[in-house]
Amino acid sequence: MILFKKGDELKKYLIKKTAEGISIGFVPTMGALHEGHLSLVRAAKERNRLVVCSIFVNPSQFNDPQDYLQYPKTIDQDIFLLEKSACDILFLPEVQEIYPQNYTPLHYELGSLETLLEGKYRPGHFQGVCQVVDRLLAIVMPTILFLGQKDYQQCMVIERLIRLKQYAIQLYIVPTMRETSGLAMSSRNLRLTEQDRAKAAAIYTGLKHIKSQLQPGNIESLCNQVTADLLEIGFDKIDYISIANAKTLEPIDVWDGETALVVLAAAFLSGVRLIDNIPLT
Ligand code: AMP
């Protein structure tokens, strides 16, 4: 695996590879890698000659400064795991490299994605995501970008970014990897105790319960029950549990039995914010 820290050097290297007809799969991450990230690397490897992974904890997407400061960092282990997964290139930039002195933040027109769900509870978050992904895509210019379905709304935001910027990049979305308990793998799980991790699996259990109960008609109460259950077992706060139109994320209270749906959740356990989702149809 080759390590690059400078964007212009990586860009030069990859332009040459592209000119040779070599396809590039790109997996952007914030590190503290787990099997979920590695499943993206494997998916990228299966479909491309060259796989680039980036590790960059992007300050501009954290609306909570404490969350940024406490974000787990396990760089030596990350490098070991990427080597083992046959990743070809690791891009490991400093903050200055992504946001140099002369960087002027762009504003991205994200429509209702910015006011619904994560957009509502994490103001500015998706602008930050677009800023960093835009910078990374301009450097890597991959053939295919690999994202995880775990961050469902983020996938929609980045799909929109690609359209807005007219990047000739395909998007490949990889299903969510889970612990055997059902808990969606996440770097933030490192901040949970063993006991909390067991408790955190209740999010997935709740989402599956909603799926099993789904019937056309009024579906609003399904989410209220799961919210109450999570609070009952000791979650600090539930930002949302929402059944939404799978294509637009608009909330759906009364289901016609046909519209494709997804149920999404964001909840705090011992101060750690966890998100998950499952498609319902
Ligand atoms: P992060 O490091 O959290 O920014 O995640 C980097 C990429 O890995 C994003 O595209 C995530 O959606 C994806 N990812 C994170 N957790 C999982 C998971 N459990 N399963 C699949 N992909 C994931």
Side-chain angles (χ1 to χ4, degrees):
M1 185 168 73
I2 313 175
L3 172 69
F4 284 87
K5 291 193 160 192
K6 299 286 174 210
D8 52 358
E9 287 171 16
L10 175 61
K11 189 169 179 159
K12 216 164 107 190
Y13 181 88
L14 292 175
I15 285 174
K16 215 165 127 233
K17 294 291 171 191
T18 303
E20 289 167 19
I22 290 173
S23 70
I24 299 167
F26 179 41
V27 181
T29 80
M30 298 205 296
L33 301 182
H34 50 66
E35 269 304 310
H37 296 113
L38 300 180
S39 71
L40 269 64
V41 173
R42 285 192 291 269
K45 194 77 195 174
E46 279 165 24
R47 290 162 185 84
N48 297 276
R49 285 268 301 282
L50 202 69
V51 174
V52 180
C53 177
S54 64
I55 297 181
F56 179 68
V57 184
N58 173 36
S60 80
Q61 75 185 68
F62 285 83
N63 50 317
D64 173 359
Q66 273 311 311
D67 191 26
Y68 176 61
L69 292 173
Q70 291 172 1
Y71 200 82
K73 290 182 186 67
T74 58
I75 191 64
D76 292 342
Q77 168 81 351
D78 292 352
I79 291 174
F80 172 76
L81 291 173
L82 288 174
E83 291 264 16
K84 221 171 72 175
S85 308
C87 177
D88 299 291
I89 293 171
L90 169 60
F91 182 40
L92 194 61
E94 300 285 345
V95 174
Q96 279 298 322
E97 190 63 22
I98 299 296
Y99 302 116
Q101 292 269 298
N102 60 357
Y103 173 78
T104 352
L106 293 174
H107 183 83
Y108 301 86
E109 278 308 322
L110 302 177
S112 59
L113 286 175
E114 208 166 11
T115 49
L116 291 166
L117 305 170
E118 289 298 280
K120 175 174 169 191
Y121 287 93
R122 301 188 67 187
H125 168 65
F126 286 133
Q127 288 298 325
V129 167
C130 285
Q131 285 164 9
V132 71
V133 174
D134 197 3
R135 293 281 293 142
L136 292 170
L137 292 181
I139 292 168
V140 178
M141 276 298 168
T143 321
I144 315 179
L145 171 66
F146 292 81
L147 300 174
Q149 191 170 20
K150 153 130 195 306
D151 297 275
Y152 191 96
Q153 191 170 3
Q154 175 169 277
C155 292
M156 292 176 72
V157 164
I158 293 174
E159 190 177 24
R160 197 172 167 122
L161 167 73
I162 290 173
R163 234 184 313 128
L164 283 173
K165 298 294 298 257
Q166 299 186 322
Y167 284 133
I169 297 171
Q170 296 169 49
L171 194 56
Y172 188 97
I173 296 173
V174 178
T176 304
M177 284 280 273
R178 300 178 180 282
E179 307 285 355
T180 31
S181 66
L183 172 64
M185 290 183 182
S186 164
S187 307
R188 286 191 174 84
N189 294 350
L190 289 174
R191 290 173 50 204
L192 295 173
T193 63
E194 194 80 3
Q195 215 179 6
D196 276 343
R197 278 191 189 213
K199 217 182 255 185
I203 299 177
Y204 182 56
T205 312
L207 298 184
K208 277 196 308 184
H209 179 72
I210 290 172
K211 183 170 173 142
S212 72
Q213 298 292 305
L214 188 73
Q215 280 188 2
N218 199 311
I219 52 176
E220 214 183 341
S221 62
L222 291 176
C223 296
N224 297 339
Q225 185 54 54
V226 174
T227 301
D229 291 347
L230 293 182
L231 289 172
E232 170 86 29
I233 65 165
F235 276 75
D236 319 326
K237 189 168 74 146
I238 314 300
D239 273 351
Y240 58 81
I241 296 181
S242 174
I243 300 177
N245 180 315
K247 293 210 171 78
T248 64
L249 290 189
E250 293 295 337
I252 304 275
D253 294 335
V254 180
W255 185 43
D256 58 11
E258 283 179 13
T259 306
L261 299 178
V262 58
V263 59
L264 309 102
F268 284 88
L269 179 63
S270 300
V272 181
R273 190 171 186 278
L274 303 168
I275 61 168
D276 201 353
N277 69 82
I278 57 171
L280 292 181
T281 47

